[in-house]
Amino acid sequence: MKDIIPQETIEQRIFIIRTQKVMIDRDLAELYGVETKHLNRQVKRNIQRFPEEFMFQLTIGERNQLVTICHRFKTMKHSSSLPYAFTEHGVAMLASVLKSDRAVKISINIIKAFVKLREMISTHKELAHKLTQLERKIEKHDDEIRLIFDAIRQLMAPPEPKKRKIGF
């Protein structure tokens, strides 16, 4: 189906807010092909399906920060309503609330993007751990190499000439 959104486009719309990976209601509405107010209306009609760990409303400060870092949100700057952020589970729940074939297909792609992001983060954690171990080894070797160079310098230094005593 030509309507399916490329994975990279979805990945660019995932933000980390309050230490959670989330997508903003405007981006989701655009991906699902509905208006943001329609998406939010469906969520409010089914609010029992969206506990706080699935969806939360941004604060004014979070919204302003989002507007600052992302040009496509500039129209939110003067909006009186605060956007909603949906976690991976909230996105999965949206497919059941919106009840369209497109919503189901897009939700599957979004979930795949979240999973890929999680895998990348875990890979980076492993890499960071290995890098830390390597740094420790290098620091230990640095001290040993420094001692070797000091010993070589002492060997290279010309010996001090023996002073002959004057007299008997």
Side-chain angles (χ1 to χ4, degrees):
M1 182 175 181
K2 68 177 184 156
D3 292 348
I4 300 300
I5 312 297
Q7 197 79 12
E8 297 79 30
T9 303
I10 295 171
E11 290 170 7
Q12 292 171 355
R13 294 169 186 239
I14 297 175
F15 297 96
I16 297 179
I17 300 174
R18 299 183 195 172
T19 69
Q20 295 186 57
K21 293 179 289 301
V22 297
M23 291 186 75
I24 305 302
D25 57 1
R26 283 187 176 203
D27 286 340
L28 287 165
E30 183 182 330
L31 292 172
Y32 289 132
V34 297
E35 290 184 23
T36 306
K37 65 182 177 181
H38 174 68
L39 183 138
N40 288 333
R41 185 173 39 240
Q42 289 301 98
V43 168
K44 287 176 184 171
R45 285 181 182 162
N46 298 281
I47 197 68
Q48 70 279 4
R49 293 183 182 215
F50 295 93
E52 199 169 310
E53 59 268 12
F54 285 18
M55 174 197 81
F56 57 87
Q57 194 166 24
L58 300 183
T59 64
I60 294 172
E62 290 168 336
R63 179 195 63 191
N64 292 341
Q65 186 178 12
L66 198 59
V67 168
T68 303
I69 63 169
C70 200
H71 183 68
R72 71 177 178 275
F73 294 128
K74 69 179 180 181
T75 57
M76 276 194 319
K77 186 175 187 175
H78 302 293
S79 174
S80 60
S81 62
L82 295 171
Y84 289 95
F86 293 85
T87 64
E88 180 178 350
H89 301 294
V91 170
M93 195 58 71
L94 274 174
S96 66
V97 169
L98 293 175
K99 298 177 185 172
S100 73
D101 289 336
R102 179 178 172 89
V104 171
K105 290 176 183 174
I106 295 297
S107 289
I108 290 170
N109 281 355
I110 292 172
I111 299 300
K112 287 179 181 178
F114 273 104
V115 169
K116 184 178 175 185
L117 199 62
R118 192 178 315 115
E119 289 171 355
M120 286 173 48
I121 289 172
S122 71
T123 302
H124 286 302
K125 285 182 182 177
E126 290 173 22
L127 185 61
H129 179 69
K130 288 181 181 180
L131 187 61
T132 303
Q133 288 178 332
L134 186 61
E135 285 175 342
R136 287 185 189 138
K137 283 182 182 178
I138 289 174
E139 287 174 1
K140 182 179 171 186
H141 291 307
D142 281 349
D143 292 337
E144 292 170 353
I145 291 171
R146 198 171 297 117
L147 288 173
I148 291 171
F149 278 121
D150 289 343
I152 292 172
R153 282 191 190 102
Q154 287 177 357
L155 291 174
M156 289 175 53
E160 290 183 24
K162 293 183 181 178
K163 293 186 179 178
R164 298 175 94 195
K165 290 184 180 178
I166 300 178
F168 297 103

